[in-house]
Amino acid sequence: MSEGIEITQELRQAFISEAQEYVQRLNDCLLELEKNSGDADALTEMFRAAHSLKGMAATMGLDGMADFTHEVESVMQAIKDGKIALDEEDTCLFFAAVDAIENMLDQFAAGNDAPAVRGLGCEQVTAQLKALLEAGTTGEGTEAKVLEHSSHLNGMDHTVKVETAKLDELINLIGQLVIARNRLAAFCEAGDVPEEALQEIDQATSGLQDLAMRLRMMPIQSVFRRFPRMVRDVAAELGKKVRLEISGGDTELDRAVVGRMGEPLVHLLRNAVDHGIEPPAIRKELGKPEEGLVRLSARNEGGRVVVEVQDDGAGIDPQRLLEKAIAKGVVSETEARQLNESQILELIFLPGFSTKEQATEVSGRGVGMDIVRNVIASMNGVVEVDSKPGLGTTIRMHLPITLAIVKAMLLKAQEEIFAVPLEFIVENILLDNRAVKSMMKRPVMEWRGEVLPVVSLREAVGLQGQCTGASAVILQTGKRKAVLEVDEIVGQQEIVMKSIGHFLGSVKGISGATILGDGRVSLILDIASLLN
Amino acid sequence: MATSVLVVDDTAFMRLTLKNLLTKNGFSVVGEAENGEDAVQKYFELKPDVVTMDITMPKMDGIVALKSILQRDPSAKIIVCSAMGQKPLVIEALASGAKDFIVKPFQPDRVVEALNKVMSGGSA
Ligand SMILES: [Mg+2]
């Protein structure tokens, strides 16, 4: 840019500080949009901030930054003009995009005169912005030129941009293939098809399915990265000192799961700062460091992903929580007496505790905890709470890595077959009825030194009579275990999860449906609610 | 006497850039405005020879400001500043009476040329 303006030190400084202001403004707008995706003011302001940043960067001769912000601006323009709708995943994407801008700004401030988009997931950000734009525009006018102009940003030869719709179609087709394979297996068992034919299809299907799943995986970082700012903002608003530690951002999950984690995490982190971490003066009095610690982490654990929000704040007082629950009529006094400490803590997930005025009084969490549980349960995940009064609270979410195809155990109750995702099953056992004892009028059984409740599948799904036979499975979600008594253990099968939400509404105890190899519909048990 | 200029842009950085550039080339920046409303008010207060008018700004954008100035003072000399991808807006601005346009990132020669041309009575 030899013909450009002369960059003085003064100009450089002015650029950095004003650009930082715009980055902050972009963040603020995104937080607004996250609450209300139709907020026209926030949209307009975001567009303007991106536009200004672009102009400034171009003036400074920072082409990489100018091109990238132009991309963001173009998408904002399309959203503003109603050409594309902003959904939750897009908000994640924009947070990532703003982070990329901030990163470039940092590079420049640190003396790099040609900052470029780089770092975890940045190529995807650019690619996804473009994909969004292409999906929303017909290619006429200015936007089309934009894409040409900055195409070099995407110069990663080993990556290919794929529309997510195509990917979903691929997953669907594989789903059908899995079902067909299962049907073939049924014929094979009957001796109508040679075994080798099945084996070949089996291998191909598994390979294909595995690959398709990996295509859908993305690091949870794309959701995590927006939280440092949010926690900082909430803390500042409340006059608290909070440090957020993030780990495991590179843990990969199905993009559908990642896309839905935003809302629950917003609730959990806000609660941790708002209701968990004490004001600095109080912490000082208690002998705690003035600065509270909130940890957000993700890790792989036994075929699932565990996402945790942990704080070193006030914790939840189970006694006070219980009193409130009784006062609110959430539990009766008789029921209350039978609850152990961890069961008491779980009361916070009930809708009765989710109102704002309750939350502050209850000295714990409350705001949106029922929402958190619903979102997690809808993905076949489980959320649990751990808390020590005075020491802090941990909310732990166990999530499936993928939503589409899972290995499941098929269980029979009367003539109905139900499916349970395999990750919930510890083992199959032979049930000796003499081992079942009664404790507080509930059937329990000792299993490897633990006393577990015994649940009848027939009863759980509203079928008549006692289970016959001697089969049961040990179920586990998080810390909770139970014995599930069934009529018959049919066996394992890969199942394609179909949501039944659309036509059946939310059915208690059922999280979805699938089509079995023989063409029958099988309902998928919601283990979390079954164990409650 | 040096040509007096009112610099309108919502970003302080762009105003500073233009001000430096113009001052260095013998123009006198008599005022700055950071949005359209501000621009209209300052224009009639300062009566500058030329206005450089940014398009995308909060409160009132550059096009509305341009129209509102020209309505009350048809002889106003306004140059619009646009960024890449704003062609349709530039065309609207020119149709509404802007004398010329300059594109960000600014090229000093082009900016000086535009101002000189406007002052000597030429138009785009
Ligand atoms: Mg502007």
Side-chain angles (χ1 to χ4, degrees):
Chain A
M1 299 275 306
S2 55
E3 77 278 30
I5 53 141
E6 191 198 339
I7 307 291
T8 60
Q9 199 51 38
E10 180 200 19
L11 215 52
R12 212 184 150 96
Q13 279 314 316
F15 169 80
I16 293 171
S17 68
E18 198 170 13
Q20 279 166 345
E21 241 178 78
Y22 278 117
V23 166
Q24 187 60 51
R25 207 175 292 177
L26 285 170
N27 280 321
D28 294 345
C29 290
L30 277 172
L31 288 171
E32 284 305 313
L33 286 170
E34 198 173 44
K35 281 184 250 153
N36 170 17
S37 64
D39 190 327
D41 288 348
L43 276 171
T44 307
E45 208 188 336
M46 248 198 103
F47 161 76
R48 216 163 37 222
H51 176 81
S52 297
L53 274 171
K54 174 190 71 176
M56 289 165 65
T59 302
M60 289 298 284
L62 306 177
D63 292 358
M65 188 165 163
D67 289 348
F68 186 78
T69 44
H70 189 142
E71 211 77 66
V72 176
E73 181 201 345
S74 307
V75 181
M76 288 315 303
Q77 167 100 59
I79 294 170
K80 205 162 66 84
D81 294 349
K83 287 180 188 165
I84 346 179
L86 186 74
D87 68 22
E88 202 189 339
E89 269 179 44
D90 300 335
T91 328
C92 293
L93 179 61
F94 277 116
F95 271 107
V98 175
D99 284 331
I101 296 171
E102 189 166 26
N103 178 271
M104 280 187 275
L105 207 51
D106 290 346
Q107 290 176 47
F108 179 68
N112 177 358
D113 280 334
V117 184
R118 68 169 186 213
L120 192 67
C122 278
E123 311 88 60
Q124 286 106 297
V125 172
T126 312
Q128 285 177 35
L129 282 173
K130 282 171 187 285
L132 247 180
L133 198 55
E134 276 170 354
T137 54
T138 46
E140 35 67 57
T142 52
E143 281 82 12
K145 273 184 220 134
V146 170
L147 291 173
E148 266 167 44
H149 184 89
S150 45
S151 57
H152 68 272
L153 265 178
N154 226 13
M156 310 275 295
D157 289 336
H158 53 283
T159 58
V160 158
K161 181 177 63 187
V162 181
E163 260 176 65
T164 53
K166 283 186 190 145
L167 212 51
D168 289 340
E169 201 182 323
L170 177 66
I171 306 282
N172 265 336
L173 284 170
I174 294 170
Q176 285 174 28
L177 187 59
V178 170
I179 290 168
R181 193 258 331 252
N182 292 345
R183 298 188 64 163
L184 193 60
F187 284 122
C188 195
E189 240 164 67
D192 296 341
V193 178
E195 187 101 14
E196 312 86 71
L198 180 66
Q199 271 170 14
E200 278 168 33
I201 290 183
D202 218 23
Q203 271 178 12
T205 316
S206 312
L208 203 53
Q209 186 184 322
D210 201 54
L211 180 64
M213 283 305 139
R214 274 186 283 141
L215 287 177
R216 289 182 57 92
M217 300 289 266
M218 66 186 281
I220 197 165
Q221 181 72 17
S222 55
V223 185
F224 278 8
R225 55 193 325 162
R226 69 170 114 160
F227 292 124
R229 198 166 28 232
M230 189 200 87
V231 166
R232 195 201 303 144
D233 293 351
V234 175
E237 209 177 286
L238 297 165
K240 294 184 181 178
K241 290 185 184 164
V242 181
R243 180 159 51 97
L244 176 67
E245 269 182 22
I246 294 184
S247 61
D250 53 354
T251 309
E252 291 199 325
L253 283 156
D254 190 298
R255 63 191 309 281
V257 180
V258 172
R260 283 158 79 177
M261 284 307 290
E263 192 188 13
L265 285 174
V266 166
H267 284 296
L268 293 175
L269 287 165
R270 276 183 187 277
N271 281 342
V273 177
D274 194 351
H275 308 298
I277 304 294
E278 311 90 333
I282 293 182
R283 290 181 65 92
K284 206 172 169 186
E285 246 171 60
L286 292 168
K288 288 179 166 182
E290 278 186 38
E291 187 181 58
L293 177 63
V294 175
R295 277 207 185 91
L296 171 62
S297 66
R299 61 178 186 272
N300 283 293
E301 202 178 279
R304 308 201 101 197
V305 168
V306 176
V307 177
E308 235 174 49
V309 175
Q310 192 178 19
D311 69 66
D312 70 345
I316 303 168
D317 182 342
Q319 223 33 60
R320 288 196 55 196
L321 184 69
L322 196 56
E323 283 162 23
K324 277 286 163 194
I326 296 168
K328 263 261 150 189
V330 175
V331 287
S332 72
E333 280 192 54
T334 338
E335 283 170 325
R337 252 176 270 131
Q338 292 179 4
L339 297 176
N340 63 31
E341 196 160 297
S342 76
Q343 285 168 325
I344 294 172
L345 286 178
E346 305 232 343
L347 293 173
I348 61 165
F349 293 114
L350 296 176
F353 277 92
S354 66
T355 56
K356 211 166 196 129
E357 71 275 13
Q358 279 300 313
T360 29
E361 283 179 57
V362 173
S363 91
R365 274 106 245 268
V367 182
M369 289 305 279
D370 57 329
I371 299 175
V372 172
R373 193 183 50 181
N374 289 347
V375 173
I376 302 302
S378 74
M379 298 188 281
N380 248 306
V382 178
V383 53
E384 54 187 28
V385 55
D386 232 342
S387 186
K388 298 265 179 302
L391 294 178
T393 301
T394 302
I395 308 283
R396 194 173 299 118
M397 288 160 285
H398 299 256
L399 300 165
I401 288 172
T402 175
L403 295 183
I405 301 179
V406 295
K407 285 199 173 73
M409 186 70 83
L410 302 183
L411 306 169
K412 210 168 188 179
Q414 284 186 352
E415 286 314 301
E416 301 291 327
I417 291 179
F418 294 88
V420 175
L422 219 50
E423 68 239 28
F424 291 114
I425 294 186
V426 184
E427 69 178 66
N428 302 345
I429 59 164
L430 279 175
L431 189 67
D432 180 352
N433 270 322
R434 284 165 304 179
V436 179
K437 306 256 172 355
S438 179
M439 203 166 112
M440 293 194 291
K441 293 184 192 151
R442 289 177 184 184
V444 296
M445 195 190 101
E446 199 177 309
W447 181 77
R448 299 201 180 151
E450 283 179 83
V451 177
L452 306 181
V454 178
V455 181
S456 151
L457 179 56
R458 284 200 191 193
E459 199 186 314
V461 298
L463 292 170
Q464 299 294 313
Q466 294 282 310
C467 285
T468 58
S471 295
V473 292
I474 307 290
L475 298 177
Q476 177 169 23
T477 82
K479 291 174 300 187
R480 258 183 203 201
K481 291 196 192 83
V483 181
L484 181 68
E485 196 184 355
V486 302
D487 282 328
E488 188 190 331
I489 296 173
V490 181
Q492 290 182 24
Q493 197 172 96
E494 264 164 353
I495 59 166
V496 183
M497 307 261 273
K498 307 263 181 215
S499 169
I500 53 168
H502 301 298
F503 51 97
L504 276 184
S506 161
V507 181
K508 193 174 157 25
I510 302 294
S511 66
T514 186
I515 300 163
L516 298 177
D518 60 8
R520 274 195 290 171
V521 171
S522 166
L523 296 175
I524 301 163
L525 295 177
D526 175 6
I527 300 305
S529 78
L530 203 72
L531 292 196
N532 260 321
Chain B
M1 210 174 81
T3 301
S4 61
V5 187
L6 171 65
V7 172
V8 185
D9 199 300
D10 58 332
T11 57
F13 168 79
M14 293 309 303
R15 292 197 301 273
L16 180 64
T17 308
L18 263 180
K19 195 174 158 183
N20 286 352
L21 196 164
L22 292 173
T23 310
K24 222 171 98 183
N25 285 281
F27 296 92
S28 162
V29 175
V30 292
E32 295 178 26
E34 58 177 18
N35 61 55
E37 280 177 19
D38 201 5
V40 177
Q41 199 196 328
K42 290 238 168 73
Y43 178 81
F44 290 103
E45 210 175 283
L46 302 169
K47 288 283 182 161
D49 297 323
V50 190
V51 181
T52 67
M53 179 75 79
D54 182 29
I55 294 180
T56 307
M57 292 184 293
K59 285 189 189 164
M60 182 193 284
D61 71 28
I63 304 222
V64 178
L66 168 121
K67 286 178 185 166
S68 128
I69 290 172
L70 283 169
Q71 201 174 26
R72 284 165 60 190
D73 180 3
S75 70
K77 296 184 177 69
I78 303 174
I79 296 172
V80 288
C81 308
S82 78
M84 51 178 170
Q86 288 191 310
K87 272 268 160 60
L89 292 174
V90 170
I91 292 164
E92 193 190 339
L94 293 174
S96 304
K99 293 281 185 276
D100 202 345
F101 70 96
I102 48 181
V103 180
K104 297 175 198 174
F106 296 130
Q107 293 170 13
D109 294 349
R110 172 74 191 106
V111 175
V112 172
E113 185 201 310
L115 266 93
N116 285 335
K117 205 168 74 183
V118 166
M119 282 311 291
S120 67
S123 130

